[in-house]
Amino acid sequence: MKSKKRLEHIYSVVEFSKTLANIHSLSKEKMTIAALSHDLFRDVKTDKLIKISHIYGITLDQFDKIKPILLHGKIGAEFLRRKYKIDDEIYQAVYYHTSGYEHMKKIGKALVISDSAADGRDYDGLEELRKISFSSLDEGYKLVIKNKINYALLKNRFILEQTVKTWNKMCRVE
């Protein structure tokens, strides 16, 4: 059962992602599917997330073991693939929406941005992110990854390995 707050977030992500899809000529259908399903397993209890990940054959890394909520995107992507035969671009977007991915395709970049920039979010730099994302998915995506790293450092939290790989890949490309 999704909370009212979670549903509001999901619908806000859908709306923002549709805006990005229009601006950047992305598939609205793929974008909507990815946005609607990105937090499909976000409110599932941690012990159940671990059980589902074992059933789906998802290998838990050290961070998943410490904070099992991080599994929600991986499980959501695998669920969608098994039940609905989604394509790789939607799978990738949902799977990596919390960490980023160094080979992320456009739908995934737009989802990561939308998850951070949708209505309901409130933090310093939000308007800058929205503005940058309207002109460049790559630059918006890079700013979200940078924000994730800065936030983790500020709050003394770990930085996901995939986030570090993503950042390092973006820095090498420049």
Side-chain angles (χ1 to χ4, degrees):
M1 186 71 162
K2 300 283 176 238
S3 68
K4 182 179 180 196
K5 186 176 178 181
R6 178 74 53 219
L7 287 173
E8 287 172 357
H9 166 69
I10 290 169
Y11 294 140
S12 293
V13 171
V14 169
E15 289 309 309
F16 195 86
S17 68
K18 284 181 182 179
T19 300
L20 290 179
N22 283 330
I23 292 169
H24 298 290
S25 301
L26 305 176
S27 165
K28 289 179 193 74
E29 181 180 65
K30 286 184 180 186
M31 197 71 254
T32 300
I33 293 167
L36 277 173
S37 57
H38 81 283
D39 276 353
L40 195 60
F41 286 82
R42 181 64 178 79
D43 292 337
V44 173
K45 292 182 181 176
T46 57
D47 59 328
K48 192 168 183 179
L49 288 172
I50 292 169
K51 287 178 186 175
I52 296 169
S53 68
H54 290 307
I55 292 167
Y56 283 169
I58 297 169
T59 303
L60 277 63
D61 65 24
Q62 62 181 334
F63 304 109
D64 297 328
K65 292 174 185 173
I66 295 168
K67 197 162 173 119
I69 195 64
L70 294 169
L71 291 165
H72 78 275
K74 296 173 184 180
I75 291 170
E78 194 57 39
F79 171 81
L80 292 170
R81 177 173 277 165
R82 290 168 184 241
K83 184 155 178 87
Y84 300 107
K85 312 285 190 252
I86 58 162
D87 70 17
D88 289 341
E89 193 169 13
I90 297 170
Y91 180 91
Q92 181 191 82
V94 174
Y95 192 95
Y96 292 109
H97 81 272
T98 57
S99 64
Y101 180 56
E102 71 266 28
H103 304 291
M104 191 74 90
K105 293 179 171 57
K106 289 181 180 182
I107 295 292
K109 289 177 182 180
L111 178 61
V112 169
I113 293 165
S114 296
D115 197 23
S116 291
D119 285 345
R121 298 294 195 195
D122 184 27
Y123 56 89
D124 289 340
L126 176 60
E127 289 307 317
E128 177 190 8
L129 171 61
R130 289 175 177 159
K131 182 179 175 186
I132 289 170
S133 299
F134 292 154
S135 61
S136 171
L137 275 181
D138 290 335
E139 290 303 312
Y141 182 63
K142 185 174 184 179
L143 185 54
V144 172
I145 298 302
K146 182 178 182 178
N147 288 345
K148 286 178 181 286
I149 292 169
N150 286 337
Y151 181 81
L153 291 171
L154 184 66
K155 297 291 185 177
N156 288 316
R157 295 186 178 168
F158 50 75
I159 301 170
L160 299 175
E161 290 177 26
Q162 193 57 58
T163 307
V164 173
K165 287 180 185 179
T166 302
W167 177 255
N168 288 340
K169 168 80 174 180
M170 288 187 291
C171 289
R172 281 194 305 265
V173 170
E174 292 185 282

